[in-house]
Amino acid sequence: MTRELQFRDALREAMIEEMVRDERVFLMGEEVAEYNGAYKVSQGMLEQFGPRRIVDTPISETGFAGLGVGAAMYGLRPIIEFMSWSFCLVAADQIINNAPKMLYMSGGQFGCPIVFRGNNGAGGQLGSTHSWCVESMFATVPGLKVAIPSTPRDAKGLLKAAIRDNDPVFNLESERMLGLGARGDRDFSRYLHGKWAPPSVEEDSDFLIPFGVADVKKEGTDCTIVTAGRPVHFALEAAEHLEKEGINVEVIDCRTYRPLDIETIVRSVKKTNYCVVVDQCWPFASIASEIAMQIYERAMDDLDNKVIRVNNDDVPAAYSFPLEQEMLPHARKICEAVRSAMYVA
Amino acid sequence: MTTVTSGKSMTRASDSLDAAKLLDMLRMMMLIRRFEERTAQSFMQKQIGGFCHIYIGQEATAVGSIFALNPGDPVITAYRDHGHALARGMHPNHCMAEMFGKITGCAKGKGGSMHMFDRAHHMYGGHAIVGGQCPLGVGLAFATMYLGEEKVTVCYLGDGALNQGAFHEAMNLAAIWRLPIIFVVENNSYSMGTHIARGTSMANDLATKAHSYGMHYAECDGMDVLNTYDVFKPLADSVRGSTSKAMGVKEEKGIGPAFVNCKTYRFKGHSMSDPQKYRSKDEVAQFEQKDPINSLVNHLIERNHATQEQIEAMDERAKQIALDAVKFANESPFPGVEELYTDVYSQPFGPYKVGELPIMLRENP
């Protein structure tokens, strides 16, 4: 039976299960406790775990992000919530200098088992400063792991794995996805049928999705679409349109960008001979550019055309609804890219 | 909340130190001095690369404060960190070898001068971005409170860090959660070449920094190891094990966090490449009159705790240890290129591999 479970519930289940399992895990961030979470991800957790383990912070990202790193050095396993990844920029020194490099700079003496998580990506008419997509910026940093779930099932499995991981993990969620799944998966995408909800704790308390293992969200034969996070849904929407045109695409969800499961991507490209990479970052030096390059390095001779990238438009995110929607790597752009890749006029 | 302590008006904690302990303090200050002389020399000889910040002149600050701690109290500092590492108990060989970039260094040559870590001695690093260690120190203190441990974290910073956002955010978090942490400003008056009066508001009254966070304030003469100890010993004992109702305890313990203005002076430049145009030779000479090592020597001789011959023998020993450290570093091998890909991840993937612990920890886990 399919569980009716929202994306935000899946994140909460992951955190609760891991906090019950391991006393060293705590959640800290703005409005996570008494307000029950700015986006209700941590609803009820203060009541369950108390103020020692569900900790409200002032608006002080450098302070509490760094606190998390110090606590992790001492052996705790912090979950630090950024209300938005856009706000992490003021904490850059802590999250990209201290967290990922502590193990290396200390010659292996002090690891940093920490999860930074929060909303990533545009789509809520918040304007440019609140609409950052950080995956291209951060997946370049050695020492970090970057997860970017697209379904409640993956959200739970990846976050549980992240909390148990001994390295710093950035978990990139999306406020546009938190409410997805309110009515189960039936009305969402038929391609995800049976792949939507994670098992409950009674069914599997160790439901972990390993990092570096991509998931084929839709099998197909004609063209490979590589993506992750919210754009997985854009790609599946495009797949439905293209199916009507007789084009059967394969949609690969990377699930983690670092590590990247390039083997699964290459295996698919060798089958379809065409490839479109969709990523919600800006195109210059993007995740899409990197994946395209890695495909060329491994499967140049199997390609019947160049790899086509679909990104955010190369402009700041606008406020106005139609402008913002047009900027995203949406289904129409993906359909056009697939047709172009396959020489379909 | 806003007590001012100077160490001079109270019963002196150092009065209860026996001669052996005082001689230990002197031995450590001498070691740091002679070690740093060899560090500077090795830098000039290009055996040490990168940036290199010498601790000479400030020895009493690290020694007076760290000798007032328990062995398990976490210590974290900025980039002028050789003195703290040695005072915390790091073997000079591993400290020097780190600067030489050798596999026998505390961080296997991956960190260098600004990154002295020693897990066995609760030394949580040298950190190179100014002020960046302050939130980390707060995290260490949070962890000890979370685990219910009776500890105090000491977080050192230079006066230049007073103007970084990270410092102020750390002070605020420490205050609202009554964390067991002491922020120690090693106030040598200069952030690189900028005098504190040019860069820091209320530079002549740093108590205002602590008071604005409702935090305990103390100051000490960082050129005087006994005065420094006198301030830190009772303060550390009061801060240690502090708890907070905000974290769910019914009865609060300890006095919460504190801020210490430790007035000191570095006799050398900011780094090895500093021509020191921003201060006069007279000013430096004036502070050299207050040499912290000479002060303690005079104190010991006046009280017949040591003879001149003993002092000279101790100094010879410090010189030998420093020389031995250089020899050890020189004779140690560089890391193999395979070390590039170790210690990037604890749970590695792709080209990365789990590293072995530094030899320092294998000898003293």
Side-chain angles (χ1 to χ4, degrees), chain B residues 83-130:
Chain B
H84 308 81
L86 296 175
R88 206 72 187 105
M90 183 186 287
H91 196 291
N93 287 2
H94 302 303
C95 189
M96 189 65 81
E98 183 59 31
M99 291 190 269
F100 277 54
K102 299 298 183 72
I103 188 71
T104 53
C106 69
K108 300 194 278 188
K110 294 179 177 181
S113 162
M114 303 191 281
H115 299 280
M116 295 299 167
F117 291 87
D118 187 345
R119 197 167 76 189
H121 291 102
H122 304 272
M123 173 73 187
Y124 285 83
H127 297 274
I129 303 291
V130 172

Side-chain angles (χ1 to χ4, degrees), chain B residues 29-352:
Chain B
M29 288 202 293
M30 285 174 161
L31 172 62
I32 295 171
R33 176 70 56 91
R34 298 306 184 192
F35 181 92
E36 289 292 66
E37 287 171 358
R38 290 292 176 191
T39 301
Q41 183 187 46
S42 303
F43 183 91
M44 299 301 286
Q45 293 168 346
K46 299 195 187 317
Q47 288 164 305
I48 294 174
F51 291 146
C52 191
H53 310 90
I54 300 293
Y55 202 61
I56 289 174
Q58 300 185 204
E59 295 91 341
T61 303
V63 173
S65 52
I66 286 172
F67 271 61
L69 301 180
N70 293 340
D73 291 329
V75 165
I76 188 164
T77 186
Y79 50 79
R80 196 180 305 281
D81 60 346
H82 318 153
H84 308 81
L86 296 175
R88 206 72 187 105
M90 183 186 287
H91 196 291
N93 287 2
H94 302 303
C95 189
M96 189 65 81
E98 183 59 31
M99 291 190 269
F100 277 54
K102 299 298 183 72
I103 188 71
T104 53
C106 69
K108 300 194 278 188
K110 294 179 177 181
S113 162
M114 303 191 281
H115 299 280
M116 295 299 167
F117 291 87
D118 187 345
R119 197 167 76 189
H121 291 102
H122 304 272
M123 173 73 187
Y124 285 83
H127 297 274
I129 303 291
V130 172
Q133 78 280 16
C134 298
L136 301 179
V138 163
L140 297 170
F142 177 87
T144 65
M145 178 190 266
Y146 185 94
L147 296 168
E149 296 178 352
E150 289 285 321
K151 291 194 176 170
V152 54
T153 294
V154 177
C155 177
Y156 297 89
L157 52 137
D159 46 286
L162 290 171
N163 309 311
Q164 280 279 38
F167 163 72
H168 291 277
E169 295 195 24
M171 290 280 280
N172 186 58
L173 293 181
I176 61 173
W177 295 327
R178 299 186 83 254
L179 297 177
I181 183 169
I182 303 176
F183 296 96
V184 184
V185 180
E186 295 193 60
N187 183 358
N188 63 24
S189 293
Y190 292 96
S191 57
M192 203 163 163
T194 301
H195 192 268
I196 186 168
R198 286 206 294 139
T200 304
S201 62
M202 299 297 286
N204 60 348
D205 186 9
L206 293 188
T208 56
K209 307 283 179 196
H211 293 168
S212 67
Y213 293 100
M215 199 180 284
H216 295 269
Y217 175 76
E219 56 191 36
C220 63
D221 180 354
M223 305 303 283
D224 179 343
V225 71
L226 296 180
N227 180 253
T228 302
Y229 181 88
D230 290 338
V231 168
F232 273 87
K233 180 64 178 157
L235 189 63
D237 291 345
S238 310
V239 173
R240 186 177 294 110
S242 289
T243 58
S244 164
K245 283 181 181 166
M247 293 292 156
V249 298
K250 291 196 177 71
E251 293 276 324
E252 289 185 341
K253 292 194 302 176
I255 64 167
F259 175 94
V260 181
N261 177 11
C262 211
K263 294 173 187 166
T264 183
Y265 199 80
R266 62 170 151 75
F267 292 172
K268 304 294 175 187
H270 161 73
S271 68
M272 287 300 296
S273 59
D274 177 2
Q276 303 183 59
K277 300 281 192 205
Y278 50 84
R279 63 183 186 183
S280 68
K281 290 201 170 73
D282 286 350
E283 180 184 299
V284 178
Q286 190 190 327
F287 277 98
E288 280 172 347
Q289 295 299 310
K290 295 177 64 182
D291 187 306
I293 294 177
N294 291 347
S295 302
L296 183 58
V297 165
N298 292 340
H299 178 90
L300 289 167
I301 287 182
E302 281 167 19
R303 282 162 184 73
N304 293 318
H305 286 326
T307 64
Q308 192 63 43
E309 291 71 33
Q310 276 177 299
I311 301 284
E312 278 164 23
M314 283 168 65
D315 193 34
E316 286 307 313
R317 179 79 190 122
K319 286 179 184 169
Q320 189 59 48
I321 293 171
L323 199 58
D324 290 347
V326 170
K327 184 166 186 284
F328 174 84
N330 249 327
E331 291 174 355
S332 293
F334 282 108
V337 288
E338 68 279 1
E339 282 293 339
L340 272 177
Y341 283 84
T342 63
D343 305 317
V344 183
Y345 293 96
S346 293
Q347 292 173 241
F349 58 87
Y352 304 107

Side-chain angles (χ1 to χ4, degrees), chain A residues 132-164:
Chain A
W132 272 91
C133 297
V134 297
E135 47 267 48
S136 290
M137 215 162 30
F138 293 148
T140 191
V141 180
L144 291 183
K145 294 175 179 174
V146 179
I148 176 162
S150 67
T151 66
R153 182 181 176 84
D154 290 352
K156 181 173 180 181
L158 288 169
L159 184 52
K160 280 172 72 79
I163 295 168
R164 293 191 195 183

